[in-house]
Amino acid sequence: MPPARPRPLRALLAALLTAAIVIPLAGAARPGVPAPPPAPLTTPLTPSTLRAAYEANRENAVEAARMAAAHGDAHRAAADRALASPSRRLLTFDGRGEGQATEVLGDLTHARHIAVLVPGSDTSLDTYARFHRAAASLYTELTRRNPRVAVVAWLGYETPATVSTTVATATRADEAAPHLRDFVRRLRTLTPAGAHVSVLCHSYGSVVCGRAAPGLDADDIALVGSPGTTADSVAALHTRARIWAARGAGDWVADVPHLRADLFGTTVGFGTDPVSPAFGARLFHAAGTDHSGYFTPGSASLANLARITLDTPSEVTRG
């Protein structure tokens, strides 16, 4: 575990965190990019209709790319075109606004071990390539060990910006939590009975997972680079899932004050540090990982996330 930060620095960071909420941040909103509404699915989503769902969402992404290009947004058009590649499998796609997408790597209908990745702040269709790389790294690591695996990159909510008034509150997480619960519930209908489902949550995504934990049908929940979950302890998450946590020695989130306080009617901060003994999670080794490096190929954190996904807890190197 990284050493404790000096008290003056923590006090300064606490003041900055408060200012981020109390003082409105200036900045122009990004102009909206036109896109079609999500593709309507004419049949319920089942193993036999997965292929049709993938194709409908691919065609929707193609149209979104065309509309973005016509609007003059080359970057969004390129992001949409990448997702519309015939090699990609989109379980959901919505190109409107910041955008949302759920992408599958592997064969859900035969996978015995499934990882659902929940991203943190600043993840949108415009930055989706970074999220996809993380999912692809995990999928590659998993398939080295077991062919019957799948990874789901779940960008199923509007993530907050790192520099914003929303990133220090659970508002976006509260909006996202029921959608994550519903998604994992539906995912179970697409996978073999008894399949092991792990939900891997990065940064602000761990706040989403913490708020979703009661009722989330997962076997394992892993929190990496977490600022907190709003819960004081694992017991307070009210989940049957095993709870894991890790933070690399190079992760700046260690400097975020683990506070939770009411300020002017808004609850700020996320409470107990998930890698602290008081929280009670199963800690795993992440070596010198920085905040964006937990899914880096060859890293200790990636290897341990794969072991968690494969339900081999005895092989996880503990932090």
Side-chain angles (χ1 to χ4, degrees):
M1 186 184 302
R5 267 44 181 185
R7 287 185 180 275
L9 177 58
R10 293 185 65 79
L12 173 61
L13 288 163
L16 291 174
L17 181 63
T18 301
I21 302 303
V22 177
I23 303 172
L25 296 175
R30 185 176 184 275
V33 182
L41 300 181
T42 57
T43 57
L45 195 57
T46 65
S48 63
T49 63
L50 264 179
R51 186 183 296 274
Y54 292 152
E55 182 58 24
N57 287 310
R58 189 190 74 78
E59 291 176 358
N60 191 268
V62 168
E63 177 61 11
R66 186 196 66 76
M67 293 175 69
H71 184 69
D73 195 324
H75 181 75
R76 172 61 69 85
D80 290 341
R81 278 196 297 271
L83 280 164
S85 167
S87 64
R88 309 285 282 269
R89 295 173 173 176
L90 295 178
L91 200 54
T92 67
F93 178 81
D94 185 349
R96 299 171 300 178
E98 294 300 311
Q100 296 182 15
T102 304
E103 182 179 8
V104 177
L105 289 77
D107 182 356
L108 284 178
T109 61
H110 293 94
R112 299 297 308 175
H113 300 276
I114 300 102
V116 178
L117 273 57
V118 181
S121 59
D122 290 325
T123 308
S124 66
L125 291 186
D126 294 308
T127 62
Y128 186 85
R130 178 182 63 200
F131 186 38
H132 174 77
R133 284 193 297 271
S137 292
L138 179 62
Y139 183 67
T140 298
E141 182 72 16
L142 289 170
T143 53
R144 289 178 53 247
R145 305 163 185 254
N146 188 321
R148 297 187 65 183
V149 296
V151 173
V152 181
W154 184 79
L155 176 55
Y157 77 110
E158 184 179 352
T159 69
T162 297
V163 181
S164 72
T165 57
T166 54
V167 76
T169 76
T171 300
R172 294 284 175 88
D174 285 337
E175 294 168 355
H179 298 294
L180 179 59
R181 287 192 205 102
D182 182 61
F183 172 73
V184 173
R185 192 177 302 116
R186 288 186 293 118
L187 183 67
R188 289 284 192 184
T189 69
L190 302 174
T191 58
H196 187 269
V197 175
S198 301
V199 181
L200 313 182
C201 322
H202 177 240
S203 192
Y204 189 89
S206 66
V207 186
V208 175
C209 292
R211 303 301 276 182
L216 183 63
D217 191 9
D219 300 293
D220 286 280
I221 298 173
L223 315 171
V224 292
S226 174
T229 64
T230 75
D232 293 331
S233 66
V234 166
L237 291 174
H238 301 291
T239 176
R240 67 174 181 82
R242 289 177 293 204
I243 304 296
W244 302 83
R247 185 168 65 225
D251 191 340
W252 57 260
V253 85
D255 290 326
V256 173
H258 294 283
L259 310 169
R260 196 158 190 249
D262 290 327
L263 295 173
F264 303 102
T266 300
T267 301
V268 181
F270 306 115
T272 307
D273 186 348
V275 300
S276 69
F279 191 73
R282 301 172 182 231
L283 303 186
F284 63 94
H285 189 51
T289 298
D290 63 21
H291 192 64
S292 60
Y294 291 95
F295 294 88
T296 300
S299 66
S301 56
L302 180 67
N304 280 324
L305 289 166
R307 292 165 184 145
I308 291 167
T309 301
L310 294 172
D311 192 22
T312 55
S314 64
E315 297 179 13
V316 175
T317 59
R318 304 300 285 267

